[in-house]
Amino acid sequence: MSHNTFGHLFRVTTFGESHGVALGCVVDGCPPGLPLEAEEIQAELDRRKPGQSRFTTQRREPDQVKILSGVFSDDRTGGRQLTTGTPIALMIENTDQRSKDYSEIRDSYRPGHADYTYDAKYGLRDYRGGGRSSARETAARVAAGAVARKVVPGITIRAALVQMGPHAIDRANWDWEEVGNNPFFCPDANAAALYETYLDGIRKDGSSVGAVIEVIAEGVPPGLGAPIYGKLDADLAAAMMSINAVKGVEIGDGFAAAALRGEDNADEMRAGNDGRPRFLANHAGGILGGISSGEPVVVRFAVKPTSSILTPRQSVNRDGAEIDLITKGRHDPCVGIRAVPVAEAMMACVLADHYLRHRGQVGERA
Amino acid sequence: MSHNTFGHLFRVTTFGESHGVALGCVVDGCPPGLPLEAEEIQAELDRRKPGQSRFTTQRREPDQVKILSGVFSDDRTGGRQLTTGTPIALMIENTDQRSKDYSEIRDSYRPGHADYTYDAKYGLRDYRGGGRSSARETAARVAAGAVARKVVPGITIRAALVQMGPHAIDRANWDWEEVGNNPFFCPDANAAALYETYLDGIRKDGSSVGAVIEVIAEGVPPGLGAPIYGKLDADLAAAMMSINAVKGVEIGDGFAAAALRGEDNADEMRAGNDGRPRFLANHAGGILGGISSGEPVVVRFAVKPTSSILTPRQSVNRDGAEIDLITKGRHDPCVGIRAVPVAEAMMACVLADHYLRHRGQVGERA
Amino acid sequence: MSHNTFGHLFRVTTFGESHGVALGCVVDGCPPGLPLEAEEIQAELDRRKPGQSRFTTQRREPDQVKILSGVFSDDRTGGRQLTTGTPIALMIENTDQRSKDYSEIRDSYRPGHADYTYDAKYGLRDYRGGGRSSARETAARVAAGAVARKVVPGITIRAALVQMGPHAIDRANWDWEEVGNNPFFCPDANAAALYETYLDGIRKDGSSVGAVIEVIAEGVPPGLGAPIYGKLDADLAAAMMSINAVKGVEIGDGFAAAALRGEDNADEMRAGNDGRPRFLANHAGGILGGISSGEPVVVRFAVKPTSSILTPRQSVNRDGAEIDLITKGRHDPCVGIRAVPVAEAMMACVLADHYLRHRGQVGERA
Amino acid sequence: MSHNTFGHLFRVTTFGESHGVALGCVVDGCPPGLPLEAEEIQAELDRRKPGQSRFTTQRREPDQVKILSGVFSDDRTGGRQLTTGTPIALMIENTDQRSKDYSEIRDSYRPGHADYTYDAKYGLRDYRGGGRSSARETAARVAAGAVARKVVPGITIRAALVQMGPHAIDRANWDWEEVGNNPFFCPDANAAALYETYLDGIRKDGSSVGAVIEVIAEGVPPGLGAPIYGKLDADLAAAMMSINAVKGVEIGDGFAAAALRGEDNADEMRAGNDGRPRFLANHAGGILGGISSGEPVVVRFAVKPTSSILTPRQSVNRDGAEIDLITKGRHDPCVGIRAVPVAEAMMACVLADHYLRHRGQVGERA
């Protein structure tokens, strides 16, 4: 990962600020011959789109994606639009850049935001809506992820919100069907009902709350990843940690593994039907020694509460003067909700990259 | 990160297997003119060395480091050995490769180990002592870290074990001096006393246990890191996750932040003496928007229990036949202990790289 | 260099096909605080623009550039638009995609073009106007180069055409002022007059001809570049060779150096006024051991004749059948002419990258 | 290419100085399962070894290579030593570091050498024998190249010296068998006879002379390379330019192509037997649009005369004082000779990398 690009053979470079002209990405290294329509990318973007419920920011952005390059169709492709192996540029124009008074955010450092650190690093910043540090950038990731999903044959990538504030779901209730039935991407219908009331309270308080997201990839072939600094779990950790407001990442049992004894943490094996071992448990989250085992790859990450709140906080301004600050405007009371499709996209990009790298180094074994 | 190299301007490439001829690393991009003696590297290696207490593996390795290139001294340098800006190759020869019968590990997949995944990826593996997947590789990291510590002026990097199995330390007892007084790198003397009894029990049971390590870097200048995929926390997450047996990484409050409300998670600011804001708390762990704030950088990670245990576990062999397996030999009952100096090394390498990258893009602001 | 990105700290990723929706680039790693207006980029693009004389393709493209991200202005910047350190995305929409019958180029492999090799690699290609292999992509490079020119303080980068077909200029006549006075970017007025007649003949014959371009960077500080695979000349060679139709690259005396004796090739030194050596000659082209010496950096490269000609050539089609082929359409009879501003752009990008890398590793010495 | 590493999936990092403890390389990303013995690497090193005739330096170095990691053998591999997919570290210890008085070279800047530029960049340098800038580093490349030759199935890579000083070979006399019959790697027996007399004269004069080397790879599958900055020819240009003393690189007809007309430069095609086009000429040197065509890949490069000569030259010392300088010691009168095996190694490394990258992105088409 370097600046604004991640991946090696499947490489994504994103650009754009919250209130700039446009944001987007260049997806480089996508294999040729994959069917790709703007509608498919749009469908993923629509899942992340703001303003879909009272629980996400009321910014009105259609987030309409435009494919600028890298695809082709003619009668020989049967009219289907296919990737060509050249870079796929995707652009989303910003439309709802509400003209407003930015004088406060311009001069102040909002606690929990990147205002101070950007200034400390660069000496200036595009402060409108948070500029480059806004979670709006994740729209570009979701677009790239829609391409990445095409790369590894036979995989399924799904994410869900498994904790809001202090309230974890009951994993016994997990139903993937439920994820689409509530505005929280929550797989537990009971928890979703609770979250509705809970988050309304938070929102009315002008407060915010954190969350935990879980992403699961099924059908990952064994062998993806590499020792030592090309580990699949290391790349996934970086990918998830790069999402705005994320403060922790776990693979499989994660931090809970620290409290286990060796015999309880061992994923025992029996003979499988397909010549592969059949694992009796998946404490490891599908990754051993940095390489996929064929079991589901399971990643969880923690999102801190949205830093923009209506409760006054102590801070300083650019001139070093002490101030009290509240952050008005359109915000997600639980920014973790919209991180769910972003997490799927990051998982898809990392797996696509490792799939191509593995195929390069080892051939078609996987 | 790519295969066996990490970093961009400060780049470390490691090589070597547990029972091969030698292991080591090439440190590329180290600034010129830094004093560097083999003894300084050796001092760090000695902290990680096996066989120093009954709580770590009894393998007898002097882990003697040799500098093969990249340093120079003459009368003009006053006899001091200085880095020259060219690659610094460091080599540690393996000496205690006990000749033993590897037939069992050769043909079997030890649960929790990378035996199966290496075979699935590469079709063959150096199984002696775990080969490339052995934690022995971390000696090379510690050596590289000793160089990296020289790069960022004025920083202090320290790590400690803060949880063993289910037993967390009492943070009120935290005393950095204690870390050197017990074989666990534990900053809480009471906890260290407990761990002694506890780990003896684990060891006698032929079992093993996990741990949590915390690494703190003080004196990090604000401005290190970069949006979006060059985030300091993303690189730290990858670095720590790349250490053997690590299953989770947190920055600052980490997973606990998910349960907080926005007003409790905000790191409020007041005017500081040096023109910088003074932060009243550090929930963020010294990183905002992927860029260092000047506050201590705080990272925690979970290590799973050592997979090599004497309790029989179900598994399969290379031919797919079902077996019962115990892993004899010399093992750390809590592999997290020796991860402490490794964690410091990884922190040092990541900060060195980001310091140089920052200085490149922005100049000497930081 | 990897796929469609080059550079390490100053990184350029380009996208787009000849007849696609748009082409452009993302410039990542540009230092913050540099003034940058679209007009400045446009001025460079206008130098490369097609259809400016009867000696370049008659395609009518305004090549209007749009800055999508990475710049900011407000009252605090005095209304000036400054770079912010975040990625600068530049887009040029294609407007003159003449609707035409592509059936011939679709099914045939034009000699000297990349038609066959793209098909051999990817299995399909966007054949319209050559798709991604069209020299139209170089517009994106020129745009990126306009940004790169801002990075290294005090440098001057200029290029000129020094040979057309077999006709070299008389270097005694070299006058930089002349470069802007003729449609060939030729610094020798006499040669330019000759080229006019010569190229008219070539054009009327339906033929084409090659050229040699020379690029010179003055004011390059000593110390840019790095041993062994980060050599400044190696990166320049790759950069120039990556321009369409380039078949050879030289630094300084280049191939002529092979025929020299050591004493004739030595660039002798005398004491300079500024503490640096004063070089009495510059056979080396400003680079010694891969690192800049402070002398002008001199690069020359050869461009092959445009492959699209009206003379029938033998070829095969996609089905392997033998055909005779002529390439109609709008072509540059000497594609080397428009390579002149592209060469400047590539020089600027490579120097910007090495300047930032040097500043990162070594500090502000250079 | 970055600092001391090149390649992406097949990555080589070299280290070491002329008179340091050892030099070597880490080859990362080599596919698993390839037979590799130290003897095979040694055979390539022996071709480059100094002191084999009176026409190369009289330094006595056995250049004995040691494999430190990345290979494995047991009864299951039939006792053959195979690569495992993990990094292959190769080390060559320096033995003939003649203890001598370096006071002159320590303080002086030898014309044509990197003495001044290293000092300008780093502020200090290991001046013994040229340190890192010595061509001795190319031993590590030759070792890496011996591994790289294993990667692409069915290719043949050969190089030859085709010009010494002003004397080009007669290409009609080209006989690959002759290359091993003379100390110049010259494929023309008549030219070799001439070179013997010619170079003796140069040597006795205390002078030196340049050369041109040609490298040809046969059996390269079509499809290797990538648009735009991953072009095969761009990577080859960088690879060859990175060899010490190289000042120019050509692909196919190279600079001669500039003087051609389009119809003479076109490589016409007829139907081939294997479904591929049969090219009637190879002006392009096997690369079109940056991608291999299946024709032989032909690269030529120019080496400047050795800078170390016995004729006094004007220079300055570190303190800026003007001096006259001659460079005594053991030198190659034509450093181009020993560049021949180095060129083969670089070709092998670049093709291995592109083969793996292609296989990653596109699959097994090539």
Side-chain angles (χ1 to χ4, degrees), chain D:
Chain D
M1 291 206 173
S2 172
H3 294 147
N4 296 280
T5 297
F6 72 94
H8 288 82
L9 280 194
F10 186 90
R11 297 161 71 85
V12 177
T13 301
T14 72
F15 63 87
E17 285 84 27
S18 175
H19 286 54
V21 177
L23 54 86
C25 62
V26 182
V27 178
D28 194 10
C30 182
L34 304 177
L36 181 69
E37 299 290 340
E39 290 69 29
E40 299 171 284
I41 303 172
Q42 195 61 51
E44 295 295 328
L45 282 169
D46 289 347
R47 295 178 64 216
R48 182 207 156 278
K49 206 166 60 175
Q52 302 194 98
S53 78
R54 67 182 185 278
F55 302 112
T56 59
T57 171
Q58 293 310 300
R59 179 167 174 166
R60 298 281 165 202
E61 280 290 356
D63 278 355
Q64 198 71 39
V65 72
K66 210 167 169 178
I67 304 181
L68 302 180
S69 65
V71 293
F72 190 65
S73 65
D74 70 356
D75 51 350
R76 197 187 289 125
T77 70
R80 288 186 314 166
Q81 187 165 265
L82 302 180
T83 61
T84 61
T86 63
I88 301 165
L90 305 173
M91 182 176 64
I92 299 163
E93 282 167 291
N94 287 318
T95 60
D96 186 15
Q97 307 124 294
R98 203 177 282 192
S99 97
K100 59 169 268 192
D101 177 8
Y102 285 110
S103 57
E104 187 158 285
I105 180 175
R106 188 189 72 161
D107 295 317
S108 305
Y109 295 142
R110 295 167 297 161
H113 277 290
D115 302 339
Y116 166 64
T117 54
Y118 269 62
D119 255 13
K121 183 175 191 77
Y122 297 118
L124 82 164
R125 68 194 146 95
D126 179 348
Y127 41 76
R128 299 166 303 162
R132 183 71 179 148
S133 72
S134 164
R136 182 142 182 70
E137 182 269 346
T138 58
R141 303 182 186 216
V142 169
V147 182
R149 282 175 188 272
K150 307 258 174 174
V151 173
V152 190
I155 58 166
T156 303
I157 297 172
R158 293 181 292 193
L161 184 148
V162 298
Q163 182 183 325
M164 183 185 290
H167 307 294
I169 64 162
D170 180 348
R171 302 182 75 90
N173 292 344
W174 193 300
D175 178 358
W176 282 113
E177 296 298 316
E178 283 302 319
V179 166
N181 293 339
N182 61 70
F184 311 109
F185 299 106
C186 176
D188 169 359
N190 293 349
L194 168 70
Y195 292 166
E196 188 144 358
T197 318
Y198 173 69
L199 198 54
D200 264 332
I202 293 286
R203 197 165 51 88
K204 283 166 192 159
D205 291 355
S207 184
S208 66
V209 74
V212 175
I213 313 301
E214 185 164 322
V215 209
I216 300 175
E218 291 168 287
V220 178
L224 306 196
I228 296 290
Y229 308 114
K231 285 182 171 171
L232 181 57
D233 38 3
D235 275 4
L236 285 168
M240 300 308 164
M241 194 66 94
S242 79
I243 300 173
N244 307 56
V246 172
K247 300 304 287 183
V249 184
E250 300 183 314
I251 309 289
D253 279 9
F255 277 86
L260 294 180
R261 289 168 63 119
E263 55 273 25
D264 300 322
N265 185 62
D267 294 330
E268 294 181 290
M269 289 170 261
R270 296 283 76 187
N273 293 325
D274 55 355
R276 292 187 198 168
R278 179 168 52 87
F279 286 86
L280 306 184
N282 189 20
H283 297 281
I287 303 175
L288 290 165
I291 299 173
S292 62
S293 68
E295 289 293 292
V297 172
V298 181
V299 181
R300 244 177 338 274
F301 61 87
V303 181
K304 72 179 183 182
T306 316
S307 295
S308 298
I309 49 174
L310 292 172
T311 312
R313 296 286 95 187
Q314 298 185 325
S315 190
V316 297
N317 66 17
R318 273 179 67 104
D319 301 324
E322 301 191 338
I323 55 172
D324 271 16
L325 194 69
I326 63 171
T327 311
K328 295 173 200 152
R330 304 163 300 181
H331 304 298
D332 293 272
C334 176
V335 75
I337 297 171
R338 292 204 292 140
V340 170
V342 180
E344 295 179 1
M346 296 309 288
M347 174 72 90
C349 288
V350 171
L351 290 176
D353 187 37
H354 276 278
Y355 176 76
L356 300 185
R357 291 165 69 183
H358 176 75
R359 189 163 68 171
Q361 195 192 0
V362 176
E364 295 284 1
R365 193 189 309 272

Side-chain angles (χ1 to χ4, degrees), chain B residues 19 98 100-107 127-129:
Chain B
H19 286 56
R98 202 177 283 191
K100 60 169 267 194
D101 177 8
Y102 284 110
S103 56
E104 187 158 284
I105 180 176
R106 187 188 73 162
D107 295 315
Y127 42 76
R128 299 166 303 161

Side-chain angles (χ1 to χ4, degrees), chain A residues 2-5 9 11 13-17 21-22 26 28-29 32-33 67-70 72 74-76 82-87 89 91 106-107 122 124-128 132 318, chain C residues 2-5 9 11 13-17 21-22 26 28-29 32-33 67-70 72 74-76 82-87 89 91 106-107 122 124-128 132 318:
Chain A
S2 172
H3 292 149
N4 296 280
T5 297
L9 281 193
R11 297 163 70 85
T13 301
T14 72
F15 62 87
E17 284 85 26
V21 176
V26 181
D28 194 10
I67 304 180
L68 301 181
S69 65
F72 190 65
D74 70 356
D75 51 351
R76 196 187 291 123
L82 302 180
T83 61
T84 62
T86 62
M91 182 177 65
R106 188 189 71 161
D107 296 315
Y122 297 118
L124 82 164
R125 68 192 148 96
D126 178 349
Y127 42 76
R128 298 165 304 160
R132 182 70 178 149
R318 272 181 68 105
Chain C
S2 172
H3 292 147
N4 296 281
T5 297
L9 280 194
R11 297 162 70 85
T13 302
T14 72
F15 63 86
E17 285 85 27
V21 176
V26 181
D28 193 10
I67 304 180
L68 302 181
S69 65
F72 190 65
D74 69 356
D75 51 350
R76 198 187 290 125
L82 302 180
T83 61
T84 60
T86 62
M91 181 177 66
R106 188 189 73 161
D107 295 316
Y122 296 117
L124 81 163
R125 69 193 146 96
D126 178 347
Y127 42 75
R128 298 166 303 160
R132 182 70 178 149
R318 274 179 67 104

Side-chain angles (χ1 to χ4, degrees), chain B residues 162-194:
Chain B
V162 297
Q163 181 183 325
M164 183 185 289
H167 306 294
I169 64 162
D170 180 348
R171 302 183 75 91
N173 293 343
W174 192 299
D175 179 358
W176 280 114
E177 296 299 315
E178 282 303 319
V179 166
N181 293 339
N182 60 71
F184 310 110
F185 300 107
C186 178
D188 169 0
N190 293 349
L194 168 71

